[in-house]
Amino acid sequence: MGNEELTDASLMQLGAEGNLRDVDLGLCHMMSDRTPEALSGLPHLKSLSLSWCYSITDASLKSLARSKTLAKLLLGGCEKLTDEGVCALAGMQNLEWLELPEFGAITDVAISALANAPKLSSLRLSNLQSVTDAGMVALQSASNLRTLRIDGASSITMEGVEKLHEVLPDCRIKFGSWESPQVASV
């Protein structure tokens, strides 16, 4: 059975598996917000991929924001997500790696909230047309950010990215075909 055929009924059983650390539910098209809600209580969950799970909404992110252990969350292709759900993730104490969904309704509001996520070190923004240079200014306060990948974001300029890199020289930024220069170790 491929992931495309898995439903909430079969996936809800994962919520009872207390030792799960890494869960890849990518392409589970028949899954709803009920499954991420069940997974949010897993005591050892470190990594979760919900990439291309088209049915999940901000309710899933609000549930996952309660996780005390989740460090890596992949949301590529989850187009129903908005600022509201992403802002809920910003309060997660252990979130280190976040991949935001392509074409989601995500703006500088969410990016500003993520700038305050205490451990966020890796962030991917892809085809988010409502994220602008104002979002890059907000990220200047994300002192733990070490990797930022930006693809297809037509409202972000090279100037905005360069200013961000000036403030966060230890952050490796990939913006389209441009990559920030490596900082020499002392």
Side-chain angles (χ1 to χ4, degrees), residues 39 54 79 116 131:
L39 296 177
Y54 301 118
E79 298 172 1
N116 297 312
V131 175

Side-chain angles (χ1 to χ4, degrees), residues 148-182:
L148 175 62
R149 182 173 172 184
I150 307 166
D151 297 304
S154 61
S155 299
I156 298 174
T157 67
M158 189 67 229
E159 181 181 359
V161 171
E162 287 174 338
K163 285 181 182 176
L164 175 62
H165 187 254
E166 287 173 17
V167 176
L168 298 177
D170 292 334
C171 181
R172 180 162 187 126
I173 302 172
K174 182 163 179 19
F175 177 59
S177 62
W178 181 85
E179 285 192 47
S180 59
Q182 290 289 75

Side-chain angles (χ1 to χ4, degrees), residues 5-159:
E5 299 170 30
L6 296 174
T7 65
D8 280 328
S10 56
L11 293 169
M12 294 293 281
Q13 296 172 23
L14 293 175
E17 298 293 329
N19 291 324
L20 287 177
R21 295 176 52 86
D22 302 304
V23 178
D24 183 351
L25 298 177
L27 296 171
C28 288
H29 304 305
M30 299 175 72
M31 177 182 73
S32 74
D33 291 321
R34 291 177 47 212
T35 297
E37 182 178 352
L39 296 177
S40 68
L42 289 172
H44 303 289
L45 184 64
K46 297 286 185 199
S47 174
L48 177 61
S49 174
L50 297 175
S51 296
W52 306 106
C53 295
Y54 301 118
S55 297
I56 68 162
T57 69
D58 290 335
S60 288
L61 300 189
K62 290 176 185 176
S63 295
L64 292 170
R66 294 191 298 264
S67 172
K68 306 253 187 278
T69 58
L70 189 60
K72 181 178 182 179
L73 182 58
L74 306 178
L75 300 168
C78 299
E79 298 172 1
K80 292 183 179 180
L81 300 179
T82 71
D83 285 343
E84 184 179 355
V86 176
C87 286
L89 298 176
M92 296 177 70
Q93 295 302 305
N94 289 306
L95 185 64
E96 297 174 8
W97 181 328
L98 180 61
E99 178 181 299
L100 291 177
E102 294 90 345
F103 309 108
I106 296 167
T107 71
D108 294 327
V109 171
I111 304 305
S112 295
L114 289 173
N116 297 312
K119 291 187 178 178
L120 187 64
S121 61
S122 182
L123 179 61
R124 179 174 179 234
L125 311 174
S126 185
N127 294 303
L128 296 174
Q129 304 310 316
S130 296
V131 175
T132 70
D133 284 346
M136 298 302 97
V137 170
L139 284 177
Q140 291 177 6
S141 65
S143 59
N144 289 321
L145 195 62
R146 295 295 174 259
T147 306
L148 175 62
R149 182 173 172 184
I150 307 166
D151 297 304
S154 61
S155 299
I156 298 174
T157 67
M158 189 67 229
E159 181 181 359

